[in-house]
Amino acid sequence: MSRELVVILTTLGLYAAVLISPGPNFALVSRLAISGASRAAAGSALGFGLAASFYQVLTMTGLSLLLTKVGWLASAIQVAGGLYLVYLGVGAWLSGARSIGASGGSRERSFLSGLRVGTLVCLSNPKAIAFFLGLYAVAVPSEMPLWVKLTILGGCFIAETGWYLLVAVAFSTHQARAAYQRFGRWIERVVGVLLAGIGIRLIAEKV
């Protein structure tokens, strides 16, 4: 096995191990899918992949180092991202406070709205830059050719988007939707607390 192939497989393996850990992305796409907004859930999955790819490109080109060195800019992005997650969390809580029925929690949102929200949620977490800096520093030697880095970029995009599409499909099943019809009010509130809690933590780290 060539060294280049080892680097590609190692990097994608590390990425996949971190990817499946629950976080705001998982909370968002599962909430959209289980509430019946399947098109928006698919859009958010694509948004996650695009945003992660954007941060990877910044890392590959060295531009991410500029962002990390401009402390006030990184802090501003993190606080703004935290506020956005709090906003989404409050929205989910208020949705849970309303009656969950056929015309309530199951309303369909558009693919583009999910794409927008998914992209913003992923971009609003500047810790992704630190993750990619660490990943490339540990797993991808600087002398690796461009095709290796582009292969990793494409593989990470497929893994990110594919994983959250699988999550969306899993939470769109009849069983999941039936559970939402029974416990939708509390599901919305739990997801709201998780999103808002992550947002408050991001803000607290910079205040």
Side-chain angles (χ1 to χ4, degrees):
M1 184 179 295
S2 67
R3 185 184 180 212
E4 288 82 1
L5 183 56
V6 171
V7 168
I8 292 171
L9 294 178
T10 300
T11 306
L12 293 180
L14 292 173
Y15 186 81
V18 175
L19 177 62
I20 62 177
S21 301
N25 293 3
F26 185 93
L28 176 64
V29 73
S30 60
R31 174 182 178 249
L32 289 172
I34 200 172
S35 67
S38 56
R39 287 199 295 267
S44 67
L46 178 59
F48 298 151
L50 292 174
S53 296
F54 173 73
Y55 276 140
Q56 284 187 81
V57 171
L58 289 184
T59 302
M60 287 181 183
T61 58
L63 293 177
S64 57
L65 289 174
L66 295 177
L67 182 58
T68 57
K69 290 181 178 179
V70 182
W72 67 265
L73 181 57
S75 297
I77 294 175
Q78 183 159 329
V79 171
L83 290 173
Y84 186 63
L85 289 176
V86 171
Y87 166 77
L88 292 177
V90 171
W93 179 274
L94 293 177
S95 177
R98 295 191 292 268
S99 175
I100 301 295
S103 61
S106 62
R107 66 184 182 279
E108 185 68 59
R109 299 185 183 93
S110 70
F111 178 89
L112 288 179
S113 69
L115 175 64
R116 182 183 67 252
V117 173
T119 302
L120 288 174
V121 166
C122 197
L123 287 178
S124 67
N125 185 4
K127 290 186 175 181
I129 290 182
F131 165 71
F132 285 119
L133 283 173
L135 178 66
Y136 276 76
V138 170
V140 185
S142 58
E143 67 272 14
M144 282 292 107
L146 179 60
W147 72 266
V148 171
K149 296 178 181 179
L150 292 178
T151 300
I152 292 172
L153 176 65
C156 289
F157 172 79
I158 293 172
E160 181 95 22
T161 305
W163 166 248
Y164 287 111
L165 282 175
L166 287 176
V167 173
V169 170
F171 280 88
S172 297
T173 62
H174 175 73
Q175 293 83 354
R177 293 293 308 284
Y180 184 82
Q181 290 298 319
R182 293 183 60 189
F183 308 109
R185 185 188 308 275
W186 297 107
I187 292 173
E188 293 281 350
R189 288 179 171 178
V190 168
V191 172
V193 169
L194 288 175
L195 289 174
I198 294 172
I200 291 172
R201 187 181 66 183
L202 287 175
I203 296 170
E205 290 177 352
K206 294 300 179 182
V207 174

mmCIF file of all heavy atoms in Angstrom, residues 124-153:
data_model
loop_
_atom_site.group_PDB
_atom_site.id
_atom_site.type_symbol
_atom_site.label_atom_id
_atom_site.label_comp_id
_atom_site.label_asym_id
_atom_site.label_seq_id
_atom_site.Cartn_x
_atom_site.Cartn_y
_atom_site.Cartn_z
ATOM 1 N N SER A 124 -20.818 28.593 11.808
ATOM 2 C CA SER A 124 -20.845 29.398 13.027
ATOM 3 C C SER A 124 -19.979 28.818 14.143
ATOM 4 O O SER A 124 -19.867 29.421 15.204
ATOM 5 C CB SER A 124 -22.285 29.545 13.538
ATOM 6 O OG SER A 124 -22.795 28.295 13.981
ATOM 7 N N ASN A 125 -19.401 27.651 13.890
ATOM 8 C CA ASN A 125 -18.544 27.027 14.901
ATOM 9 C C ASN A 125 -17.084 27.104 14.450
ATOM 10 O O ASN A 125 -16.604 26.237 13.723
ATOM 11 C CB ASN A 125 -18.943 25.574 15.122
ATOM 12 C CG ASN A 125 -18.164 24.930 16.258
ATOM 13 O OD1 ASN A 125 -17.374 25.596 16.933
ATOM 14 N ND2 ASN A 125 -18.378 23.653 16.472
ATOM 15 N N PRO A 126 -16.350 28.143 14.857
ATOM 16 C CA PRO A 126 -14.955 28.287 14.426
ATOM 17 C C PRO A 126 -14.045 27.190 14.967
ATOM 18 O O PRO A 126 -12.892 27.079 14.539
ATOM 19 C CB PRO A 126 -14.563 29.658 14.978
ATOM 20 C CG PRO A 126 -15.452 29.857 16.161
ATOM 21 C CD PRO A 126 -16.755 29.206 15.781
ATOM 22 N N LYS A 127 -14.533 26.376 15.899
ATOM 23 C CA LYS A 127 -13.720 25.265 16.389
ATOM 24 C C LYS A 127 -13.433 24.266 15.272
ATOM 25 O O LYS A 127 -12.496 23.462 15.383
ATOM 26 C CB LYS A 127 -14.424 24.575 17.553
ATOM 27 C CG LYS A 127 -14.461 25.410 18.821
ATOM 28 C CD LYS A 127 -15.048 24.626 19.983
ATOM 29 C CE LYS A 127 -14.960 25.426 21.280
ATOM 30 N NZ LYS A 127 -15.501 24.691 22.436
ATOM 31 N N ALA A 128 -14.247 24.323 14.202
ATOM 32 C CA ALA A 128 -13.987 23.444 13.064
ATOM 33 C C ALA A 128 -12.634 23.745 12.452
ATOM 34 O O ALA A 128 -11.935 22.838 11.974
ATOM 35 C CB ALA A 128 -15.090 23.608 12.013
ATOM 36 N N ILE A 129 -12.229 25.025 12.468
ATOM 37 C CA ILE A 129 -10.919 25.389 11.935
ATOM 38 C C ILE A 129 -9.813 24.737 12.762
ATOM 39 O O ILE A 129 -8.858 24.171 12.225
ATOM 40 C CB ILE A 129 -10.743 26.916 11.912
ATOM 41 C CG1 ILE A 129 -11.655 27.526 10.850
ATOM 42 C CG2 ILE A 129 -9.297 27.290 11.643
ATOM 43 C CD1 ILE A 129 -11.520 29.021 10.732
ATOM 44 N N ALA A 130 -9.941 24.814 14.092
ATOM 45 C CA ALA A 130 -8.943 24.195 14.965
ATOM 46 C C ALA A 130 -8.891 22.683 14.729
ATOM 47 O O ALA A 130 -7.804 22.078 14.731
ATOM 48 C CB ALA A 130 -9.267 24.497 16.425
ATOM 49 N N PHE A 131 -10.047 22.081 14.496
ATOM 50 C CA PHE A 131 -10.087 20.643 14.239
ATOM 51 C C PHE A 131 -9.333 20.295 12.957
ATOM 52 O O PHE A 131 -8.505 19.379 12.937
ATOM 53 C CB PHE A 131 -11.534 20.158 14.135
ATOM 54 C CG PHE A 131 -11.667 18.786 13.527
ATOM 55 C CD1 PHE A 131 -11.268 17.658 14.219
ATOM 56 C CD2 PHE A 131 -12.171 18.630 12.243
ATOM 57 C CE1 PHE A 131 -11.368 16.396 13.652
ATOM 58 C CE2 PHE A 131 -12.285 17.374 11.673
ATOM 59 C CZ PHE A 131 -11.888 16.254 12.377
ATOM 60 N N PHE A 132 -9.611 21.034 11.890
ATOM 61 C CA PHE A 132 -8.953 20.732 10.618
ATOM 62 C C PHE A 132 -7.460 21.048 10.664
ATOM 63 O O PHE A 132 -6.652 20.338 10.052
ATOM 64 C CB PHE A 132 -9.627 21.483 9.477
ATOM 65 C CG PHE A 132 -10.947 20.889 9.068
ATOM 66 C CD1 PHE A 132 -12.120 21.616 9.167
ATOM 67 C CD2 PHE A 132 -11.016 19.594 8.592
ATOM 68 C CE1 PHE A 132 -13.337 21.068 8.802
ATOM 69 C CE2 PHE A 132 -12.231 19.020 8.219
ATOM 70 C CZ PHE A 132 -13.387 19.766 8.326
ATOM 71 N N LEU A 133 -7.082 22.103 11.386
ATOM 72 C CA LEU A 133 -5.662 22.387 11.559
ATOM 73 C C LEU A 133 -4.961 21.220 12.241
ATOM 74 O O LEU A 133 -3.878 20.791 11.833
ATOM 75 C CB LEU A 133 -5.470 23.671 12.368
ATOM 76 C CG LEU A 133 -5.689 24.997 11.639
ATOM 77 C CD1 LEU A 133 -5.622 26.155 12.629
ATOM 78 C CD2 LEU A 133 -4.654 25.177 10.541
ATOM 79 N N GLY A 134 -5.596 20.701 13.301
ATOM 80 C CA GLY A 134 -5.020 19.562 14.013
ATOM 81 C C GLY A 134 -5.004 18.307 13.162
ATOM 82 O O GLY A 134 -4.030 17.544 13.158
ATOM 83 N N LEU A 135 -6.099 18.079 12.427
ATOM 84 C CA LEU A 135 -6.194 16.879 11.588
ATOM 85 C C LEU A 135 -5.112 16.875 10.522
ATOM 86 O O LEU A 135 -4.421 15.865 10.330
ATOM 87 C CB LEU A 135 -7.578 16.819 10.935
ATOM 88 C CG LEU A 135 -7.826 15.631 9.989
ATOM 89 C CD1 LEU A 135 -7.816 14.327 10.772
ATOM 90 C CD2 LEU A 135 -9.157 15.803 9.259
ATOM 91 N N TYR A 136 -4.952 17.995 9.833
ATOM 92 C CA TYR A 136 -3.956 18.049 8.765
ATOM 93 C C TYR A 136 -2.532 18.031 9.326
ATOM 94 O O TYR A 136 -1.626 17.493 8.691
ATOM 95 C CB TYR A 136 -4.180 19.295 7.903
ATOM 96 C CG TYR A 136 -5.235 19.081 6.837
ATOM 97 C CD1 TYR A 136 -6.583 19.079 7.161
ATOM 98 C CD2 TYR A 136 -4.885 18.860 5.516
ATOM 99 C CE1 TYR A 136 -7.560 18.865 6.198
ATOM 100 C CE2 TYR A 136 -5.850 18.651 4.544
ATOM 101 C CZ TYR A 136 -7.183 18.649 4.890
ATOM 102 O OH TYR A 136 -8.150 18.431 3.933
ATOM 103 N N ALA A 137 -2.345 18.622 10.501
ATOM 104 C CA ALA A 137 -1.014 18.617 11.105
ATOM 105 C C ALA A 137 -0.595 17.212 11.511
ATOM 106 O O ALA A 137 0.578 16.827 11.385
ATOM 107 C CB ALA A 137 -0.984 19.545 12.319
ATOM 108 N N VAL A 138 -1.558 16.423 12.005
ATOM 109 C CA VAL A 138 -1.250 15.082 12.505
ATOM 110 C C VAL A 138 -1.215 14.050 11.388
ATOM 111 O O VAL A 138 -0.322 13.185 11.346
ATOM 112 C CB VAL A 138 -2.290 14.666 13.569
ATOM 113 C CG1 VAL A 138 -2.134 13.193 13.930
ATOM 114 C CG2 VAL A 138 -2.152 15.534 14.806
ATOM 115 N N ALA A 139 -2.189 14.120 10.460
ATOM 116 C CA ALA A 139 -2.382 13.021 9.508
ATOM 117 C C ALA A 139 -1.896 13.306 8.094
ATOM 118 O O ALA A 139 -1.694 12.362 7.322
ATOM 119 C CB ALA A 139 -3.864 12.642 9.463
ATOM 120 N N VAL A 140 -1.730 14.577 7.726
ATOM 121 C CA VAL A 140 -1.401 14.909 6.337
ATOM 122 C C VAL A 140 -0.063 15.649 6.286
ATOM 123 O O VAL A 140 -0.019 16.857 6.551
ATOM 124 C CB VAL A 140 -2.497 15.765 5.687
ATOM 125 C CG1 VAL A 140 -2.188 15.979 4.201
ATOM 126 C CG2 VAL A 140 -3.872 15.125 5.855
ATOM 127 N N PRO A 141 1.022 14.973 5.966
ATOM 128 C CA PRO A 141 2.323 15.649 5.855
ATOM 129 C C PRO A 141 2.274 16.754 4.804
ATOM 130 O O PRO A 141 1.581 16.641 3.788
ATOM 131 C CB PRO A 141 3.268 14.513 5.434
ATOM 132 C CG PRO A 141 2.589 13.262 5.885
ATOM 133 C CD PRO A 141 1.123 13.523 5.740
ATOM 134 N N SER A 142 2.999 17.816 5.033
ATOM 135 C CA SER A 142 2.960 18.977 4.142
ATOM 136 C C SER A 142 3.450 18.654 2.736
ATOM 137 O O SER A 142 3.068 19.323 1.775
ATOM 138 C CB SER A 142 3.803 20.108 4.732
ATOM 139 O OG SER A 142 5.150 19.681 4.925
ATOM 140 N N GLU A 143 4.292 17.621 2.608
ATOM 141 C CA GLU A 143 4.836 17.304 1.292
ATOM 142 C C GLU A 143 3.899 16.459 0.436
ATOM 143 O O GLU A 143 4.218 16.112 -0.713
ATOM 144 C CB GLU A 143 6.176 16.570 1.418
ATOM 145 C CG GLU A 143 6.098 15.161 2.018
ATOM 146 C CD GLU A 143 6.185 15.151 3.536
ATOM 147 O OE1 GLU A 143 6.042 16.239 4.136
ATOM 148 O OE2 GLU A 143 6.394 14.073 4.099
ATOM 149 N N MET A 144 2.716 16.117 0.960
ATOM 150 C CA MET A 144 1.771 15.338 0.184
ATOM 151 C C MET A 144 1.346 16.112 -1.064
ATOM 152 O O MET A 144 1.115 17.327 -1.001
ATOM 153 C CB MET A 144 0.529 15.009 1.018
ATOM 154 C CG MET A 144 0.696 13.873 2.007
ATOM 155 S SD MET A 144 0.912 12.253 1.226
ATOM 156 C CE MET A 144 2.661 11.962 1.530
ATOM 157 N N PRO A 145 1.226 15.432 -2.206
ATOM 158 C CA PRO A 145 0.839 16.119 -3.445
ATOM 159 C C PRO A 145 -0.592 16.645 -3.378
ATOM 160 O O PRO A 145 -1.397 16.216 -2.545
ATOM 161 C CB PRO A 145 0.980 15.035 -4.515
ATOM 162 C CG PRO A 145 0.908 13.741 -3.770
ATOM 163 C CD PRO A 145 1.505 14.004 -2.421
ATOM 164 N N LEU A 146 -0.901 17.565 -4.286
ATOM 165 C CA LEU A 146 -2.211 18.211 -4.293
ATOM 166 C C LEU A 146 -3.336 17.208 -4.480
ATOM 167 O O LEU A 146 -4.396 17.338 -3.870
ATOM 168 C CB LEU A 146 -2.257 19.265 -5.399
ATOM 169 C CG LEU A 146 -3.581 20.028 -5.551
ATOM 170 C CD1 LEU A 146 -3.925 20.781 -4.277
ATOM 171 C CD2 LEU A 146 -3.519 20.976 -6.749
ATOM 172 N N TRP A 147 -3.114 16.170 -5.295
ATOM 173 C CA TRP A 147 -4.187 15.221 -5.553
ATOM 174 C C TRP A 147 -4.595 14.476 -4.285
ATOM 175 O O TRP A 147 -5.772 14.111 -4.128
ATOM 176 C CB TRP A 147 -3.795 14.240 -6.661
ATOM 177 C CG TRP A 147 -2.772 13.212 -6.302
ATOM 178 C CD1 TRP A 147 -1.433 13.282 -6.492
ATOM 179 C CD2 TRP A 147 -3.014 11.930 -5.686
ATOM 180 N NE1 TRP A 147 -0.806 12.134 -6.038
ATOM 181 C CE2 TRP A 147 -1.753 11.285 -5.555
ATOM 182 C CE3 TRP A 147 -4.154 11.273 -5.258
ATOM 183 C CZ2 TRP A 147 -1.626 10.021 -4.987
ATOM 184 C CZ3 TRP A 147 -4.034 10.005 -4.694
ATOM 185 C CH2 TRP A 147 -2.781 9.388 -4.559
ATOM 186 N N VAL A 148 -3.643 14.264 -3.380
ATOM 187 C CA VAL A 148 -3.982 13.610 -2.115
ATOM 188 C C VAL A 148 -4.888 14.512 -1.285
ATOM 189 O O VAL A 148 -5.907 14.061 -0.734
ATOM 190 C CB VAL A 148 -2.691 13.268 -1.328
ATOM 191 C CG1 VAL A 148 -3.042 12.801 0.083
ATOM 192 C CG2 VAL A 148 -1.892 12.203 -2.049
ATOM 193 N N LYS A 149 -4.544 15.787 -1.203
ATOM 194 C CA LYS A 149 -5.352 16.726 -0.422
ATOM 195 C C LYS A 149 -6.738 16.905 -1.032
ATOM 196 O O LYS A 149 -7.733 17.007 -0.304
ATOM 197 C CB LYS A 149 -4.628 18.066 -0.322
ATOM 198 C CG LYS A 149 -3.311 17.976 0.444
ATOM 199 C CD LYS A 149 -2.594 19.309 0.495
ATOM 200 C CE LYS A 149 -1.266 19.185 1.240
ATOM 201 N NZ LYS A 149 -0.536 20.480 1.293
ATOM 202 N N LEU A 150 -6.813 16.922 -2.360
ATOM 203 C CA LEU A 150 -8.118 17.049 -3.016
ATOM 204 C C LEU A 150 -8.955 15.787 -2.809
ATOM 205 O O LEU A 150 -10.183 15.870 -2.660
ATOM 206 C CB LEU A 150 -7.933 17.325 -4.504
ATOM 207 C CG LEU A 150 -7.335 18.691 -4.869
ATOM 208 C CD1 LEU A 150 -7.170 18.820 -6.376
ATOM 209 C CD2 LEU A 150 -8.204 19.818 -4.322
ATOM 210 N N THR A 151 -8.291 14.632 -2.794
ATOM 211 C CA THR A 151 -9.010 13.379 -2.526
ATOM 212 C C THR A 151 -9.576 13.383 -1.107
ATOM 213 O O THR A 151 -10.723 12.961 -0.872
ATOM 214 C CB THR A 151 -8.082 12.172 -2.719
ATOM 215 O OG1 THR A 151 -7.590 12.153 -4.063
ATOM 216 C CG2 THR A 151 -8.822 10.865 -2.434
ATOM 217 N N ILE A 152 -8.780 13.859 -0.161
ATOM 218 C CA ILE A 152 -9.251 13.962 1.223
ATOM 219 C C ILE A 152 -10.412 14.944 1.315
ATOM 220 O O ILE A 152 -11.409 14.694 1.994
ATOM 221 C CB ILE A 152 -8.094 14.397 2.145
ATOM 222 C CG1 ILE A 152 -7.049 13.279 2.233
ATOM 223 C CG2 ILE A 152 -8.615 14.748 3.539
ATOM 224 C CD1 ILE A 152 -5.784 13.680 2.962
ATOM 225 N N LEU A 153 -10.295 16.067 0.616
ATOM 226 C CA LEU A 153 -11.358 17.066 0.607
ATOM 227 C C LEU A 153 -12.663 16.467 0.090
ATOM 228 O O LEU A 153 -13.722 16.620 0.704
ATOM 229 C CB LEU A 153 -10.944 18.253 -0.266
ATOM 230 C CG LEU A 153 -11.977 19.364 -0.470
ATOM 231 C CD1 LEU A 153 -12.285 20.059 0.840
ATOM 232 C CD2 LEU A 153 -11.486 20.367 -1.505
#
